[in-house]
Amino acid sequence: MTTIRVAGAQINLRVGDLGYNESRLVDAMRWAEGQGADVLLLPELAIPGYPPEDLVMRRGFVDANLSVLERLALEAGETVTVAGFIDRLDVSCRKTGDSVARGVANAVALLHRGTVRGVYRKVLLPNYGVFDEDRYFAAGSCPGAVWNIGGVVVGVSICEDIWVRDGPPSRQAANGAQILLNVNGSPFQISKETQRAGHIRREATDSGVPVVYLNLVGGQDELVFDGGSMVVDRTGSVQYRAPSFEEDCFVVDVEPGDRTPAGRNAVVVRDEPLARNRRRLAPSSVPSLEPAEETYRALTLGLGDYVRKNGFSKVVVGLSGGIDSALTAVIASDALGPEAVRGVTMPSKFSSPGSVHDSEELARRLGIRFDEIEIAELYAGYENALKAVFAGTGFGVAEENLQPRIRGTLLMAISNKSGEMVIATGNKSEMAVGYATLYGDMAGGFAVLKDVFKTRVYELARWRNRRGQVIPDETLAKAPSAELRPGQVDTDSLPPYELLDPVLSAYIEEDRSVDDIVESGYDRELVTRVAVMVDRNEYKRRQAPPGVKITAKAFGRDRRLPITNGWRGG
């Protein structure tokens, strides 16, 4: 029986770091050659890194990426390598829109024996959510292109091409493809893995040929690519599933679909026929992750890669004794190692003794450095400096917010002195309603919980504690409080998070109107109040640091509303 030996390199690359990427890709090519692979799949835009965004508008960057492609082609031997790159188009091929000519394409090259034997350009360019590919690229015009690799007709496509029914892979199968190869830069989103697997299995069963799906892994700014590459046979059964959130190089022998007359016109990439009757490789798959672990590992990978890829080795976290700062510190410790994390507690005259104790106990359990800086005198100095300006007014929000702003200043001073990146601790619920202090607890280089609602913060904390109790029970049990005035709790000014978070999810992530949310069973006064808080705090969110995207609509590139906005229709 003839099988095609497919290798996949689910690796963590760096946007713009062409030298690093080239080295990793060459290593993968040499490894695949040593495995006797017939074809090697590398991630979408593997050479420049994904997503390169406006780097594609820089001629020098595109030229350098093409030079890397030439060198990779020289490295190619018997294994056909499918390598993602930015292709420059001839003037006659360019797509024009308004006054802008998109002179580049998101492409893959088929490399064999020192040359580029074929190029496929992505046909379907996503232009929703975090994707802006229609801004950058011209769409490919050959959706049904197929290639002959050693007697097996192969269809190659890129990411979005396979997400649409009757897209390019279906055209390729109709043109005689016996196996479909799809390379991706598909970012993580809660529940997306199940949806993704369904798409791949559907394509295999609809086309009647096996599908190999290869995905990128790693963090890039707000995005996390979770890997999860898979090989699906023609019946839709998963033959191999790669682990999520970690690198994996795999080799699988795949039985191609039946040859059809249409495949005779395939462009020949490799003349030599594939080996027959070799020992079949079928590596063991890893089980899927439970939802809490999946989310936690996305946050850990996203934070770790953001810190390391931006040249930092250590971080500093302000510890309040509350659940948000505790979970942030735990994620940082798991992502970077306890030796790379500093926790700082900064009690004021309103801080409870338990908050300091809980922070110190958390640091002890994690094994991270712990510093305590009293801010009572600093706060008194601010009050004294503002005495004349604030004369005739009572204690209020301005006085409350002085405290987190003092803390933010101290954390940034530690960062400047030590080179440790400040990790902000605010969650999505707080960011949504403006319950995070601008220039205070929003200060930092990264906000790992930015897309995590408060109720999910508790879920993740409890899940992590089941793997080793690091967050004190007292932290989990206490009522959420900013502790900026005596006896303060979050419910003084916010609905309970069990009510707040579902309304926020409906309003933000599902874009539902106030009327629609009310019709689903929520109190109108509550929904209207929440919507007003969300709308009026857009200016704050624009000034927040980036954070890991885990939901369908994260603040930032996913959700783009005007700051100056008179619409109040929900």
Side-chain angles (χ1 to χ4, degrees):
M1 176 186 296
T2 299
T3 59
I4 182 167
R5 181 163 290 181
V6 181
Q10 178 179 291
I11 51 180
N12 191 340
L13 302 168
R14 300 176 182 172
V15 169
D17 194 341
L18 301 184
Y20 174 85
N21 293 347
E22 180 178 0
S23 176
R24 295 300 311 278
L25 300 181
V26 168
D27 287 346
M29 292 171 70
R30 292 173 178 172
W31 164 81
E33 198 80 31
Q35 298 293 316
D38 299 313
V39 61
L40 165 67
L41 301 185
L42 300 172
E44 179 178 6
L45 292 178
I47 290 175
Y50 187 83
E53 300 185 83
D54 280 13
L55 287 174
V56 305
M57 297 180 176
R58 300 186 178 183
R59 176 175 292 275
F61 181 71
V62 176
D63 288 345
N65 126 98
L66 292 171
S67 296
V68 173
L69 179 67
E70 292 175 2
R71 293 193 292 272
L72 291 182
L74 294 175
E75 286 283 341
E78 292 305 312
T79 300
V80 175
T81 296
V82 179
F85 74 108
I86 303 168
D87 192 18
R88 175 169 286 126
L89 306 179
D90 295 332
V91 173
S92 60
C93 297
R94 293 183 184 179
K95 170 186 175 181
T96 57
D98 297 328
S99 61
V100 179
R102 297 169 179 83
V104 294
N106 181 340
V108 292
L110 285 77
L111 313 178
H112 184 243
R113 284 190 173 182
T115 62
V116 176
R117 302 301 296 269
V119 171
Y120 173 86
R121 297 173 182 130
K122 189 173 184 178
V123 174
L124 302 179
L125 303 177
N127 199 44
Y128 55 84
V130 300
F131 302 105
D132 290 309
E133 292 204 23
D134 195 51
R135 168 183 169 89
Y136 301 114
F137 299 118
S141 58
C142 299
V146 291
W147 288 269
N148 185 316
I149 298 178
V152 174
V153 181
V154 172
V156 178
S157 61
I158 304 173
C159 203
E160 187 79 5
D161 289 338
I162 207 167
W163 280 75
V164 176
R165 191 178 286 272
D166 299 323
S170 299
R171 299 275 295 275
Q172 291 163 355
N175 284 346
Q178 298 168 270
I179 183 171
L180 300 173
L181 309 177
N182 182 253
V183 300
N184 293 259
S186 179
F188 170 77
Q189 180 181 305
I190 292 172
S191 301
K192 187 176 183 180
E193 194 275 339
T194 301
Q195 180 188 17
R196 182 191 290 155
H199 278 291
I200 303 306
R201 295 177 66 186
R202 181 210 72 207
E203 187 62 57
T205 55
D206 285 356
S207 299
V209 298
V211 177
V212 182
Y213 166 93
L214 186 282
N215 194 24
L216 179 66
V217 70
Q220 170 59 29
D221 293 346
E222 303 98 328
L223 303 181
V224 174
F225 300 93
D226 54 319
S229 303
M230 67 186 77
V231 180
V232 177
D233 69 20
R234 70 181 81 181
T235 69
S237 297
V238 177
Q239 189 175 342
Y240 176 73
R241 187 191 304 275
S244 298
F245 305 107
E246 59 187 78
E247 292 191 320
D248 181 50
C249 289
F250 59 89
V251 183
V252 183
D253 286 334
V254 184
E255 183 180 344
D258 296 330
R259 185 75 177 266
T260 67
R264 294 172 183 166
N265 297 322
V267 176
V268 176
V269 176
R270 169 180 159 175
D271 292 314
E272 296 80 8
L274 305 184
R276 295 180 62 86
N277 301 319
R278 55 189 168 189
R279 184 176 62 86
R280 189 164 181 174
L281 298 178
S284 300
S285 298
V286 297
S288 298
L289 304 176
E290 62 175 291
E293 181 176 6
E294 185 181 56
T295 302
Y296 188 88
R297 291 189 63 181
L299 297 171
T300 303
L301 179 58
L303 173 63
D305 269 4
Y306 187 84
V307 171
R308 288 185 291 261
K309 290 180 179 181
N310 282 287
F312 289 83
S313 59
K314 295 185 176 182
V315 299
V316 55
V317 180
L319 298 180
S320 67
I323 191 64
D324 299 315
S325 64
L327 183 60
T328 298
V330 174
I331 292 171
S333 181
D334 286 345
L336 301 164
E339 69 284 352
V341 182
R342 181 205 301 254
V344 183
T345 190
M346 295 163 281
S348 73
K349 64 181 181 180
F350 301 118
S351 300
S352 65
S355 294
V356 177
H357 172 269
D358 294 346
S359 298
E360 187 172 12
E361 178 61 17
L362 172 75
R364 184 192 68 77
R365 294 183 184 186
L366 289 175
I368 65 175
R369 174 171 174 170
F370 179 75
D371 295 309
E372 180 178 343
I373 304 174
E374 294 276 355
I375 68 166
E377 290 186 11
L378 287 170
Y379 181 68
Y382 273 82
E383 284 187 308
N384 186 59
L386 291 164
K387 185 183 299 181
V389 178
F390 284 3
T393 65
F395 184 93
V397 173
E399 288 80 6
E400 290 182 22
N401 286 342
L402 279 175
Q403 298 161 75
R405 288 182 176 133
I406 291 169
R407 292 175 177 131
T409 298
L410 294 175
L411 290 174
M412 290 306 301
I414 292 171
S415 176
N416 291 160
K417 180 64 70 174
S418 66
E420 299 165 355
M421 181 187 289
V422 178
I423 306 302
T425 61
N427 62 63
K428 189 171 188 175
S429 304
E430 295 172 346
M431 297 281 188
V433 298
Y435 205 66
T437 303
L438 200 57
Y439 320 123
D441 50 349
M442 289 175 68
F446 200 70
V448 70
L449 302 181
K450 183 179 179 181
D451 199 28
V452 184
F453 284 126
K454 185 79 167 189
T455 48
R456 182 167 278 134
V457 168
Y458 279 101
E459 292 172 5
L460 294 174
R462 294 188 179 98
W463 174 85
R464 179 58 179 83
N465 263 10
R466 290 197 296 271
R467 302 188 60 176
Q469 180 120 9
V470 287
I471 299 175
D473 288 335
E474 293 81 0
T475 298
L476 284 160
K478 71 176 65 172
S481 171
E483 292 193 337
L484 302 178
R485 55 181 167 79
Q488 184 182 37
V489 291
D490 288 4
T491 49
D492 292 342
S493 52
L494 295 177
Y497 288 108
E498 293 74 15
L499 280 177
L500 175 63
D501 285 355
V503 174
L504 290 174
S505 179
Y507 190 64
I508 296 166
E509 296 178 5
E510 300 173 31
D511 278 321
R512 294 169 63 186
S513 68
V514 168
D515 288 343
D516 189 26
I517 300 171
V518 170
E519 287 176 6
S520 65
Y522 290 93
D523 177 73
R524 178 171 294 278
E525 183 180 355
L526 166 70
V527 177
T528 302
R529 177 185 168 202
V530 170
V532 168
M533 286 191 288
V534 172
D535 291 346
R536 74 184 180 199
N537 283 289
E538 183 65 30
Y539 78 100
K540 277 192 181 183
R541 291 188 290 273
R542 290 289 186 93
Q543 300 177 70
V548 181
K549 166 185 164 61
I550 63 168
T551 68
K553 188 160 286 190
F555 291 130
R557 284 163 48 179
D558 263 336
R559 187 176 187 270
R560 310 178 194 184
L561 291 177
I563 296 173
T564 307
N565 176 14
W567 172 251
R568 293 293 180 266

